[in-house]
Amino acid sequence: MADVTTDFATDKSSGTTELDALVIGAGFAGLYQLLCLRDRLGLKVKSLEAGSGVGGTWYWNRYPGARCDSESHAYWYTFSPEMMREWEWSERYPGQAEIMRYLNFAADRFDLKKDIQFDTRVTAAHYDQATNRWHVRTEAGETFVVKFLITAVGCLSTANVPNFPGLDSFKGDWYHTGEWPHEGVDFTGKRVGMIGTGSTGIQAAPVIAETAAHLTVFQRTANYSVPARNVPLTPEFQQYIKDNPTEIREATHSTLNGQPFRIEERMALETPPEEREAIYEKAWERGGLQFRASFKDMMASKAANDTAAEFIKGKIREIVKDPKTAALLSDIDHPYAAKRPPIDSGYFETFNRPNVSLVDVKAAPIERISPAGVCTKDAEYPLDIIVFATGFDAMTGPMLRMDIRGRDGVALKDAWEAGPRNYLGLQVAGFPNLFTITGPGSPSVLCNMPVAIEQHAEWIADCIAYMRKQGLERIEARPEAMDQWVAEVNEIASKTLLPMAKHSWYLGANIPGKPKVFMPYAGGMVRYREICTEVVERGYEGFSLT
Ligand code: NAP
């Protein structure tokens, strides 16, 4: 095992900064964690951010059509009712640019940017047991020595570009949606190929098709989607938001997924077919993720789920005029919402345009990229631009691309060789004073993100405040508590249909060679919040505090 302390000790090129705490990232999570630690606890703390501005996932994902799938009045910070009154959302779902404006507004309102170091990518973080400090190194060679290290690196921030042979030889331009150029991409008159039909591809395709000469969508796994039905917010609804910040916070805090709507109590299988269809029809017309909340048994019973799946497949066949294309788009191999369910603005309708075609790369997989375009087993598709909407090395990727080493120099990538293991999604045994926000083992991606983020950032801040008050220096998850939590995360997932989507990034199955472990906690945000609170009430049960 490498002598990690020596690594840092030999680095005399740049200065070393000593702090109480360091936050990695300045997206939704990093900004709020910085605020909690600096303004509420009075710590000497900084955030390091790879981007040149705040925003995290929204800073990088500037692809055409990028928009949040949670409704705007639920997709923001709720810790400050005053700030909720000061900000005004313009649309039912906030677009990428509006979210960036919002996060800049929040950062400026609390004067956070002065404590964020931008254009700074963290490459390594090593724990030194003798001094109980984390030594954190950046790409530029700077070193930070801190007692508490909090990763707010996001779940979907490590782009996955499939390793197709020949990509270097491609004569046109190619882009990954998660690393989109700030100046945008002009598709006018171009032959565009887009690989991937997850939430991103489904948002991007209709917008790309508007200007491209031709758009070829390469689909491996067909996907469900429900119309978003985005609209400008009415002045009445904007006023309702301003008048009810506390109610909105309470609503998002009392639901399974941190959304402002409840899952209905009724059962799909106990509802007469005609009534059930009418319920689905109404949910389809209303649009959005709420479709998933139509029946209580939808994510627990395959037969119940089939009723929703068949309804959506029927809609696809109704919308898409070419029967062959409709058949390909509706040939979906997993239960509805077992993969993160997309919502769209005209996705299926896009295939009725004369300048859009669909290629089935399940039947004839992409074999390589040639200088001219994409080559499948059957044909070559000449292209000017390739868009990779191919997703992310989710949840563990952003953590493991840093060289994190805990007690005795043990690398996180070794501790997680068989899949992520932690306690409450907050701490890994053997990595004292290191906290992760919305990583694996927590509701994170199964929850409306800002709700999950606020709970984590507040829990971590409260924990550090408690330690300071008690004169405690070190907190670390106990191995047996971690084992129990990992078992609980697995058990809860196994009671749902979620693990049935064999290629899902929830399982890590989208990345070749990645261990297949269901990563997020599927027990719901309300239960998770209770567990975290109970752990504290029992004196930080499951953690060693010294
Ligand atoms: P994704 O859901 O992982 O989808 C990636 C797509 O690329 C899939 O269709 C996948 O096919 C395809 N793909 C990957 N490798 C391929 C290969 N070698 N050959 C052919 N096809 C390949 O990624 P995403 O769409 O970027 O979405 C990721 C997550 O980001 C979402 O689930 C969501 O949580 C979040 N997101 C949120 C929003 C929002 O709130 N507005 C928008 C976009 C994304 P297979 O299915 O066959 O693997």
Side-chain angles (χ1 to χ4, degrees):
M1 197 160 293
D3 180 351
V4 294
T5 327
T6 311
D7 259 352
F8 279 85
T10 53
D11 177 22
K12 300 211 165 42
S13 55
S14 313
T16 294
T17 308
E18 291 191 22
L19 299 167
D20 297 323
L22 190 71
V23 179
I24 310 177
F28 259 103
L31 290 176
Y32 186 46
Q33 188 69 80
L34 175 62
L35 182 150
C36 291
L37 298 182
R38 189 193 68 179
D39 297 356
R40 295 185 194 157
L41 270 60
L43 298 195
K44 207 170 149 200
V45 53
K46 242 180 188 298
S47 152
L48 303 183
E49 165 57 54
S52 303
V54 302
T57 194
W58 299 103
Y59 176 89
W60 301 103
N61 282 269
R62 295 165 186 253
Y63 60 86
R67 186 177 289 286
C68 184
D69 288 347
S70 291
E71 298 192 28
S72 48
H73 68 290
Y75 196 77
W76 58 347
Y77 296 119
T78 61
F79 65 85
S80 162
E82 295 77 31
M83 186 164 71
M84 292 169 83
R85 284 194 196 96
E86 288 162 22
W87 182 257
E88 192 166 272
W89 293 110
S90 69
E91 295 178 271
R92 179 175 174 186
Y93 305 93
Q96 179 270 340
E98 190 166 22
I99 299 173
M100 284 295 285
R101 284 197 295 279
Y102 170 71
L103 288 172
N104 275 285
F105 156 77
D108 292 337
R109 191 186 188 280
F110 294 101
D111 201 11
L112 295 174
K113 286 179 189 166
K114 68 171 191 239
D115 292 307
I116 304 170
Q117 187 171 315
F118 294 106
D119 301 304
T120 303
R121 185 173 285 286
V122 170
T123 52
H126 296 174
Y127 176 69
D128 177 20
Q129 195 163 341
T131 56
N132 188 36
R133 290 293 181 275
W134 281 91
H135 292 238
V136 179
R137 181 145 53 185
T138 71
E139 211 166 43
E142 260 181 292
T143 303
F144 292 82
V145 178
V146 302
K147 191 196 277 188
F148 296 104
L149 179 62
I150 300 106
T151 64
V153 291
C155 295
L156 299 159
S157 51
T158 305
N160 165 43
V161 179
N163 191 15
F164 295 127
L167 183 57
D168 287 350
S169 73
F170 181 55
K171 291 244 159 43
D173 297 317
W174 66 267
Y175 309 93
H176 187 281
T177 50
E179 293 172 347
W180 202 256
H182 285 209
E183 63 281 13
V185 176
D186 185 5
F187 296 106
T188 314
K190 306 279 194 207
R191 296 163 305 170
V192 182
M194 189 188 78
I195 305 171
T197 54
S199 300
T200 301
I202 281 176
Q203 284 188 332
V207 185
I208 296 173
E210 277 170 22
T211 53
H214 192 88
L215 171 65
T216 307
V217 176
F218 296 92
Q219 170 188 282
R220 186 165 66 184
T221 307
N223 211 342
Y224 300 96
S225 185
V226 169
R229 306 212 188 279
N230 186 37
V231 284
L233 289 182
T234 60
E236 292 74 33
F237 194 72
Q238 286 170 328
Q239 191 57 45
Y240 163 79
I241 298 172
K242 286 188 204 303
D243 292 344
N244 296 283
T246 312
E247 288 72 5
I248 290 171
R249 178 177 163 90
E250 277 167 13
T252 54
H253 279 217
S254 63
T255 58
L256 189 79
N257 297 326
Q259 294 289 353
F261 50 79
R262 287 184 185 284
I263 295 173
E264 299 288 347
E265 281 299 317
R266 63 191 170 217
M267 301 287 188
L269 295 181
E270 290 168 9
T271 307
E274 269 179 30
E275 202 182 308
R276 196 169 56 209
E277 285 299 291
I279 288 168
Y280 285 139
E281 197 63 59
K282 206 167 152 204
W284 181 267
E285 283 314 311
R286 183 179 51 224
L289 291 173
Q290 200 169 347
F291 188 92
R292 184 177 46 174
S294 301
F295 293 101
K296 194 178 179 181
D297 47 354
M298 205 190 273
M299 294 313 296
S301 149
K302 173 75 167 59
N305 191 285
D306 284 347
T307 65
E310 284 313 313
F311 177 87
I312 300 175
K313 290 176 186 177
K315 285 288 182 193
I316 299 171
R317 289 189 285 265
E318 239 173 75
I319 295 168
V320 180
K321 299 210 169 74
D322 172 49
K324 209 173 140 221
T325 307
L328 270 180
L329 287 167
S330 59
D331 184 16
I332 309 173
D333 66 1
H334 51 277
Y336 169 65
K339 282 185 173 183
R340 157 72 154 73
I343 61 174
D344 69 276
S345 296
Y347 176 66
F348 296 115
E349 291 81 351
T350 295
F351 292 93
N352 293 334
R353 294 177 68 115
N355 68 332
V356 176
S357 50
L358 182 68
V359 173
D360 176 6
V361 294
K362 185 179 254 174
I366 298 172
E367 290 191 329
R368 63 193 170 88
I369 309 290
S370 70
V374 168
C375 299
T376 69
K377 199 165 146 276
D378 285 351
E380 180 179 61
Y381 297 86
L383 299 166
D384 302 307
I385 296 176
I386 303 174
V387 174
F388 287 91
T390 42
F392 302 88
D393 181 356
M395 306 200 80
T396 52
M399 294 285 293
L400 295 181
R401 76 170 159 187
M402 298 180 286
D403 174 21
I404 298 179
R405 289 169 195 242
R407 192 191 289 289
D408 303 323
V410 172
L412 186 63
K413 76 171 172 20
D414 293 331
W416 282 7
E417 197 180 3
R421 301 175 61 75
N422 59 25
Y423 179 43
L424 302 174
L426 281 162
Q427 271 217 325
V428 185
F431 295 76
N433 292 358
L434 169 70
F435 296 97
T436 54
I437 303 188
T438 63
S442 74
S444 63
V445 292
L446 297 179
C447 183
N448 178 28
M449 267 296 177
V451 175
I453 284 168
E454 283 190 336
Q455 187 265 344
H456 260 187
E458 286 165 10
W459 193 97
I460 293 165
D462 289 348
C463 172
I464 295 175
Y466 170 81
M467 288 175 69
R468 283 159 63 86
K469 199 163 160 221
Q470 302 293 321
L472 297 161
E473 289 288 314
R474 182 160 47 208
I475 180 165
E476 183 178 350
R478 292 178 191 272
E480 65 278 12
M482 183 168 84
D483 292 345
Q484 272 171 22
W485 183 248
V486 170
E488 189 166 340
V489 170
N490 281 327
E491 198 197 321
I492 289 176
S494 71
K495 289 182 183 150
T496 73
L497 303 181
L498 290 163
M500 285 181 73
K502 296 279 173 265
H503 303 292
S504 140
W505 60 259
Y506 291 158
L507 273 167
N510 62 327
I511 302 295
K514 188 167 171 170
K516 290 188 182 48
V517 174
F518 191 83
M519 293 186 282
Y521 171 78
M525 194 60 214
V526 175
R527 180 66 196 126
Y528 177 78
R529 190 188 298 278
E530 281 168 8
I531 294 170
C532 291
T533 306
E534 285 161 15
V535 160
V536 174
E537 284 166 359
R538 292 197 206 106
Y540 286 90
E541 187 181 51
F543 291 97
S544 302
L545 284 142
T546 45

